[in-house]
Structures are given as structure tokens and as C-alpha cells.
Amino acid sequence: MAELRKSLRPLRLLALNALALGLAAACQPAQSMLAPRGPAAERIALLWWVMLVLGSVIWLAVMALAAAGLWQRRHDSRAAAQAPMAALPAPPAAAPELPGGNTRWIVGGGVIMPVIVLTGIYALTVDTMRVAPAPNAAEVVVSVIGHQFWWEVSYPDLDITTANEIHIPTGQTVVFELSSADVIHSFWVPELGGKLDLIPGHTTRLALQADTPGVFRGRCAEFCGVQHARMGLIVVAEPQADFANWAAQQQQPAAEPETALTQAGQDVFLGLACAYCHTIRGTPAEGRLGPDLTHLASRRTLAAANMPNVRGHLAGWILDPQASKPGNRMPPTHLDSAELQALLAYLESLE
Ligand SMILES: [Cu+2]
């Protein structure tokens, strides 16, 4: 009994895992290509279901045939065992003939059927690929440059630069112009469809559309280095009016310091290495190595969708970015408590 229980342990673990996965999928549809929110994603999800159903039917049919074969064999050998010794038939020289003939089964099941099924799936795949809106129908163009390990985002027609959080208007074709500053990354927002590589020195185009408002998580889908798993992004799809408000806000230069504390914070920022790596438009800080911080406080997350943009995380990030995202390109900074408080107040004022 104990032996049996022991040998069942891996199975039990597997079942628990499957259950947990299923629950997680049911409770939190975030970042799931099975919860499509735009035309391209819908077609990809449909293709996935067709392949799942077809695959399941074929698998069940093969298993049923295998079971029938096993049953048949056992039946035959039992009949033989019951017969008197002398009457044992000589073993067949070749494999027994299947009903309808062996050749028919092999050619039908092994050649004709796979050709039909795979051709069908191929046609459906090609058709699915055509569904993405044509890039030249773009109403909004977003340029996305992959960096180890964050996303530089700009809107060339709107004169906006930001990072890691992309706003798009619903019901419109948005073209993402993708490239990379270092290694190959891949842009994927499962609920909207896509997945396309960002290649250094080459621009690829991906057209997507969101039908309804929502906040969608996306991520880098091509291994790009130690912090690949923490290279996330957020897409905020919102009605045209909200999008226009957001764009107008992002086009402004950074808010001027209004209190002695925020002024002190700006001085700390400009006096440290921060300014060599980060841009805050309207100030002398024009670094390009890290995300543009002009409207940092308007963003929901920090460090490529890794933590909520709140004071505690911001402080932790500035003092030691290597603690939460080891290997990323921002060095730790030593600050005394007064400097830190001023710097935090200033960054929080950058709405
Ligand atoms: Cu990556």
C-alpha cells in the first residue's frame, strides 16, 4: 500500500499542478491569448481551438484503435490457450491482415488523412495571418525600441516619448514599428494578438487593434538576457477622448518644481548620474540610456511592469535596482534620507 502511495506521488503532484494552473487561468484571464480583445487575437484564438479539437479527435481515434488492437490480440491468444495443444495453429508468417486490407489502412491513415488535415490547418493559418490589419491603414503609429530590459516607446506623429506603458485608442488600427537597441527581443500582447521580433538595425511592423477598453499585459517573448522574464509592458486601450487627453498631457514638458522640497529633489537628480541616463524634458537631463522620466508619475508601474509605481517601490528601486532586477543596466545610488525624500517628492510630481 505504502509502495503504491509512493509511486502515485508524482501523479498527485501533476494533478495538483494542473488544478492550480486551471484555477489560475480561470480566476485571472490576464495575459491570455484565449481571452482575445481584438480582431487579430480573435482569429488566433479560433485557430488554436480548431487545432486543439482536431488534435484531440485524432488522438482519441488512435488510442481507440490501439485499444481495439490490444483487445483483439488478447482475445486471440486466450482462445488459443483454451484449445488443445495439438490444435495450436502455426504462428502466422506475416502480420495478420486488418479488416479492409493493411495497405488501405497505411495509405489512408498514414498518408492521405495527415495530408488533408495538415493542408487544412495550413490554409487556415495563412488565412489567419492575413487578418491582421494592413500597416498602411494605420491611424496611430507607435515606435517601440527594445532595450535590455525595458521598452522605449514613442509616437513619432504626436511627439511623445515614454516607456513601458503604451496607450492606444480603441477601435483604431495601431501600427507598432518595432526595433531593438541591443539584442533581439519580441513584442507580445496576448490579448491583442501579434508576437513579432524586435531586431537591431531593422524595423518590423505589427498592426493591432483593441475593440474594447482595457489594460493588457504584454511581455518580451524572446530570451534576451538575465532579466528577460522581467521585461514586461502594459497596453492601455481607452476611448478616443481619453487617449487624446493622455496624449496632450504627455506632450507637455515636465512639471516645474513648485515647493522647496521638489526643487531640492530636482537638484539631487541633476547633481547625480541620473541625468546622464534619463531624460526629463524641460531640464538639462537628456540621457538616453534609461527610460524617459518626464511623466514618470503618470505611469502605473516601474521597471518594465515589475512593480506598482508607489513610493516604497520607487525608493527601493532608486537605492538598489539590482536587488529586485539583478543584472539590469541601472546602478545603485547612495543617498542620505533627506536627499532620498526630496528626490522621491520630485519624481512623484512628474505627472
Ligand atoms: Cu526578452
Side-chain angles (χ1 to χ4, degrees):
M1 199 57 207
E3 275 296 298
L4 181 70
R5 221 180 280 151
K6 209 165 166 192
S7 64
L8 280 181
R9 208 170 279 160
L11 270 183
R12 221 170 49 199
L13 256 179
L14 206 73
L16 276 179
N17 269 336
L19 187 72
L21 266 179
L23 281 179
C27 302
Q28 194 206 13
Q31 212 176 297
S32 164
M33 48 80 55
L34 293 179
R37 297 294 286 275
E42 261 159 32
R43 285 301 307 268
I44 293 172
L46 178 73
L47 179 65
W48 189 89
W49 282 111
V50 168
M51 286 172 73
L52 179 74
V53 170
L54 259 177
S56 306
V57 168
I58 293 171
W59 185 78
L60 285 174
V62 170
M63 287 302 125
L65 283 174
L70 286 175
W71 186 81
Q72 180 73 38
R73 231 175 106 150
R74 179 179 281 192
H75 190 75
D76 288 353
S77 58
R78 223 180 255 154
Q82 275 159 9
M85 274 314 248
L88 260 188
E97 192 71 2
L98 288 166
N102 285 356
T103 326
R104 240 197 223 172
W105 279 89
I106 291 168
V107 173
V111 180
I112 298 180
M113 200 188 67
V115 166
I116 293 176
V117 170
L118 293 178
T119 311
I121 290 180
Y122 178 69
L124 206 62
T125 305
V126 171
D127 193 52
T128 301
M129 286 161 76
R130 283 194 333 185
V131 170
N136 51 19
E139 292 162 73
V140 178
V141 178
V142 185
S143 148
V144 179
I145 301 175
H147 293 261
Q148 284 171 321
F149 303 94
W150 60 283
W151 310 85
E152 180 180 343
V153 176
S154 61
Y155 296 65
D157 304 332
L158 298 174
D159 198 22
I160 292 173
T161 305
T162 177
N164 302 324
E165 183 174 312
I166 303 174
H167 286 238
I168 60 172
T170 50
Q172 294 187 26
T173 305
V174 180
V175 165
F176 295 91
E177 292 184 341
L178 309 169
S179 69
S180 169
D182 36 51
V183 300
I184 297 178
H185 302 273
S186 179
F187 179 86
W188 189 31
V189 187
E191 273 113 333
L192 298 181
K195 194 193 281 176
L196 201 61
D197 279 5
L198 295 88
I199 301 162
H202 176 76
T203 302
T204 44
R205 281 181 185 75
L206 176 68
L208 294 177
Q209 180 181 319
D211 290 332
T212 48
V215 179
F216 311 117
R217 253 193 89 99
R219 56 169 315 93
C220 179
E222 173 91 30
F223 181 75
C224 59
V226 280
Q227 284 305 337
H228 163 66
R230 292 202 183 88
M231 187 166 162
L233 70 115
I234 297 224
V235 174
V236 181
E238 54 200 1
Q240 175 63 42
D242 293 348
F243 175 73
N245 283 342
W246 174 83
Q249 158 86 3
Q250 298 290 316
Q251 283 161 346
Q252 302 298 318
E256 293 286 338
E258 277 174 357
T259 65
L261 188 64
T262 51
Q263 182 60 59
Q266 190 187 53
D267 294 344
V268 170
F269 187 92
L270 296 176
L272 289 169
C274 320
Y276 296 113
C277 291
H278 293 286
T279 293
I280 297 183
R281 272 174 287 134
T283 76
E286 289 181 338
R288 295 289 310 275
L289 264 157
D292 186 303
L293 302 180
T294 308
H295 296 288
L296 175 71
S298 75
R299 302 208 274 268
R300 288 164 169 74
T301 64
L302 293 173
N306 270 293
M307 48 193 104
N309 187 0
V310 294
R311 175 167 277 232
H313 281 303
L314 185 57
W317 174 261
I318 292 170
L319 292 175
D320 191 3
Q322 300 300 320
S324 52
K325 210 172 165 182
N328 87 80
R329 300 293 162 88
M330 175 162 154
T333 304
H334 297 289
L335 293 167
D336 67 31
S337 134
E339 288 171 323
L340 179 65
Q341 293 308 322
L343 182 58
L344 290 172
Y346 174 58
L347 291 176
E348 283 173 347
S349 75
L350 300 178
E351 297 211 324

